[in-house]
C-alpha cells in the first residue's frame, strides 16, 4: 500500500488524523494534513481506507 495526498486541497477537517494517527498528522499552522508514513503496514490498511473514504475533500489516494 502506498499513500499520496493532495495537500493543497486539504480543508483541515482532521478526520484522517483521528482514524489513522500513526499515518497522518496536521500542520500546526494551517491544519492541513501531513503524511507521516507513505507506505504503512497491512495493520494500518483498514484505518487508512476509512480515512480516505471519510475525507471531505478526497485528498487521500491509496495505491
Amino acid at each position: 500500500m502506498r499513500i499520496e495526498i493532495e495537500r493543497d486541497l486539504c480543508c483541515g477537517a482532521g478526520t484522517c488524523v483521528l482514524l489513522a494517527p500513526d499515518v497522518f498528522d496536521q500542520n500546526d499552522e494551517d491544519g492541513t494534513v501531513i503524511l507521516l508514513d507513505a507506505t504503512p503496514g497491512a495493520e494500518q490498511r483498514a484505518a487508512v481506507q476509512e480515512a480516505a473514504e471519510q475525507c471531505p475533500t478526497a485528498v487521500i489516494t491509496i495505491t
Side-chain angles (χ1 to χ4, degrees):
M1 170 173 55
R2 175 146 182 84
I3 302 168
E4 295 181 18
I5 56 172
E6 293 182 55
R7 192 164 183 222
D8 294 343
L9 300 177
C10 179
C11 70
T15 306
C16 57
V17 179
L18 294 173
L19 294 170
D22 292 333
V23 179
F24 303 104
D25 198 358
Q26 282 183 285
N27 182 308
D28 289 336
E29 293 179 19
D30 61 8
T32 56
V33 66
I34 297 170
L35 185 59
L36 299 175
D37 187 355
T39 57
E43 70 281 357
Q44 295 290 332
R45 186 170 196 74
V48 170
Q49 184 67 40
E50 186 172 357
E53 291 171 3
Q54 297 296 322
C55 179
T57 53
V59 301
I60 303 168
T61 303
I62 303 169
T63 54

